[in-house]
Amino acid sequence: MMTDSEVFKEGLAGVPAAKSRVSHVDGTDGILEYRGIRIEELAKSSSFIEVAYLLIWGKLPTQGELEEFEYEIRTHRRIKYHIRDMMKCFPETGHPMDALQTSAAALGLFYARRALDDPNYIRAAVVRLLAKIPTMVAAFHMIREGNDPIQPNDKLDYASNFLYMLTEKEPDPFAAKVFDVCLTLHAEHTMNASTFSARVTASTLTDPYAVIASAVGTLAGPLHGGANEEVLNMLEEIGSVENVRPYVEKCLANKQRIMGFGHRVYKVKDPRAIILQDLAEQLFAKMGHDEYYEIAVELEKVVEEYVGQKGIYPNVDFYSGLVYRKLDIPSDLFTPLFAIARVAGWLAHWKEQLSVNKIYRPTQIYIGDHNLSYVPMTERVVSVARNEDPNAII
Ligand code: SDX
C-alpha cells in the first residue's frame, strides 16, 4: 500500500489524468504529435482548420470533408447582437481574456439545449465555438476602443478573417499564413492545465460553452497561456542586450520565474519555440527587424548557461509574442490568440471525455484538525489561525 506522500504529487506532476489519443509529447527529445503526426509536418503542410478537424474528428479530412467543415465555420462566424451589447457594458480596461471567458459562457445562454448524445448537437457546438471565439475576441477589442465591431468577411479564410476583424483591412497573405501556422502550433498540447480544466468540467456533463469558458479562465494565468504577454513586458523591461545577464542573475537569485522559459514536460527547447523563432526571422526579413529579437536571443543564451542543465529552455510562449508584435497585434490579445487556437484541442478532449466519461472526483490528504469544540461567541478571543502568518496584521 503506497503512503500518502508517495501518492500525492504537487500539481499532479507526472500523474496521468486520462487516457488520450489526441496528442503526444516526448519532453526528452522535444517531440509533439497531433493524432500521431509531427507538429513540424503539420506546420509546414497543413492549415489550422484542417488541424482542428484532425484533432477533433481524429483523422485528416478528405477534400470534401474539409470544404464542408470550412464552409460551416465560415458561415457561423457572426455573434448575436446581445453578446455585442453585453460587451459594451464591460469596462474598456478589462482584460480581453476575462471578456472572452464571459462571452464564451454567455454563448451557452443561446444554445441551452444539452444533447450530448446527439452527434448533430456535438458538431454544431464544435462549429459554433471554432467560428465565434475569434469574432468575440475581435469584437471586444473594437468595442473597448469605442468602435463598432467589424463584421466577419466571408470571403476570407480563418486566419485572414481574424486579422481583418482587428483592422478592417485584408491582411498581407504572408502575414496571414504565418498567423495560421501560429494557430496550428497552439492548438493542442496533451494534459496542460487548461485542457485538464476542460476535461474536469466536461466530466460533469455540462454544456460545451461552460467547458470552454472554464478552460479560458485557466489559460489566462501567467504560468500558463498568460506568459506570452508577460514575455514582451519582460523584454521591454530588460531594454538592451547588455542588461540581459544582470536581469537573469536577479531573477534566479530571487527564485523568480523567467517568463517564456521552463516546462513541466519539455526538458529541451520546445519544438514549437523552434518553429516560432524561424517564423519570427522570416517575418523580420520581409517586414523589418525588431530590436527586441536580439534581446530574446541573448536571453535564451544566458538562461541556458545558468539553468540549461535543469532542463529550462524556451517554451511556446517565448517567441510567439515577437511574431504577434510584428503582425501589429496588441500584446494583451496574445493570450486570447492562444485561446482561439486551443479551442480545437479543448473540443477534441471534450469529445474524448464524453466517450469514456467518469466524473472527476480525486481525493485529498487531510492535514487539518479533528474534534475541535464549538466556542461560544462570548468566549472567543482574537486569534491567528494556525496556518496564517503570525506577523500578519489582523
Ligand atoms: C504553457 O503544460 C503545457 O503543456 C503548457 C503549454 C501548452 O501548450 O498548453 O505548453 C503552454 O503554459 C507554457 C508555459 C508558459 N509559462 C511560462 O513561461 C511561465 C514561466 N515558467 C514557469 O513558471 C514553469 O517553468 C512552468 C510553470 C512552466 C512549469 O513549472 P513546474 O513544472 O511546476 O516547475 P517548477 O516551477 O516546480 O520549477 C522546477 C525548477 C525550480 O527550481 P528549484 O526550486 O527546483 O531549484 O525549475 C525552476 C524552478 O525555480 N524553473 C525556473 C523556471 N521554470 C522552472 N526558473 C526560472 N525561470 C523559469 N521560467
Side-chain angles (χ1 to χ4, degrees), residues 11-262:
L12 296 181
V15 176
K19 291 180 181 175
S20 179
R21 292 187 174 85
V22 181
S23 67
H24 167 68
V25 167
D26 176 332
T28 307
D29 295 329
I31 292 170
L32 169 58
E33 294 170 325
Y34 291 172
R35 297 283 186 184
I37 303 174
R38 289 286 292 265
I39 192 65
E40 294 82 2
E41 272 299 302
L42 293 168
K44 184 169 68 176
S45 310
S46 188
S47 69
F48 173 66
I49 291 298
E50 183 177 72
V51 163
Y53 189 102
L54 168 69
L55 290 168
I56 294 165
W57 310 111
K59 70 178 189 70
L60 287 170
T62 62
Q63 185 63 39
E65 288 167 334
L66 179 61
E67 286 172 3
E68 182 188 11
F69 189 55
E70 204 276 338
Y71 176 79
E72 285 179 58
I73 290 170
R74 194 183 286 254
T75 53
H76 282 82
R77 289 167 170 169
R78 281 157 184 72
I79 56 177
K80 303 274 185 191
Y81 75 84
H82 314 71
I83 291 184
R84 291 200 303 273
D85 289 356
M86 174 182 75
M87 287 182 178
K88 290 171 185 168
C89 300
F90 295 169
E92 290 83 358
T93 53
H95 197 286
M97 281 298 277
D98 293 326
L100 179 58
Q101 184 178 24
T102 309
S103 311
L107 276 180
L109 293 166
F110 299 96
Y111 310 107
R113 186 176 71 94
R114 288 178 198 168
L116 299 179
D117 55 354
D118 176 356
N120 295 323
Y121 172 86
I122 299 290
R123 180 154 182 127
V126 163
V127 167
R128 281 193 191 110
L129 282 158
L130 283 170
K132 297 181 192 301
I133 292 284
T135 307
M136 294 195 295
V137 170
F140 176 67
H141 175 63
M142 298 305 288
I143 288 168
R144 70 173 176 175
E145 298 207 326
N147 301 317
D148 283 326
I150 296 164
Q151 285 288 37
N153 182 333
D154 294 345
K155 296 199 311 301
L156 299 177
D157 65 36
Y158 195 88
S160 302
N161 175 59
F162 177 74
L163 296 175
Y164 168 82
M165 291 191 293
L166 290 184
T167 61
E168 206 159 15
K169 296 191 197 77
E170 294 194 17
D172 170 280
F174 178 74
K177 175 61 186 162
V178 167
F179 180 55
D180 190 83
V181 174
C182 288
L183 292 172
T184 289
L185 295 173
H186 287 83
E188 159 65 11
H189 208 250
T190 72
M191 201 50 65
N192 59 85
S194 56
T195 297
F196 183 48
S197 283
R199 289 196 77 132
V200 170
T201 307
S203 77
T204 69
L205 301 186
T206 185
D207 65 83
Y209 309 97
V211 169
I212 297 302
S214 171
V216 170
T218 306
L219 185 71
L223 293 190
H224 189 10
N228 56 13
E229 180 181 354
E230 295 301 324
V231 167
L232 255 292
N233 298 336
M234 170 180 68
L235 295 176
E236 190 176 357
E237 181 189 343
I238 293 171
S240 71
V241 170
E242 296 67 41
N243 288 344
V244 166
R245 188 173 295 275
Y247 179 86
V248 171
E249 289 168 348
K250 180 190 68 155
C251 286
L252 297 178
N254 299 335
K255 299 290 276 178
Q256 182 189 330
R257 299 291 187 272
I258 302 168
M259 292 292 115
F261 285 88

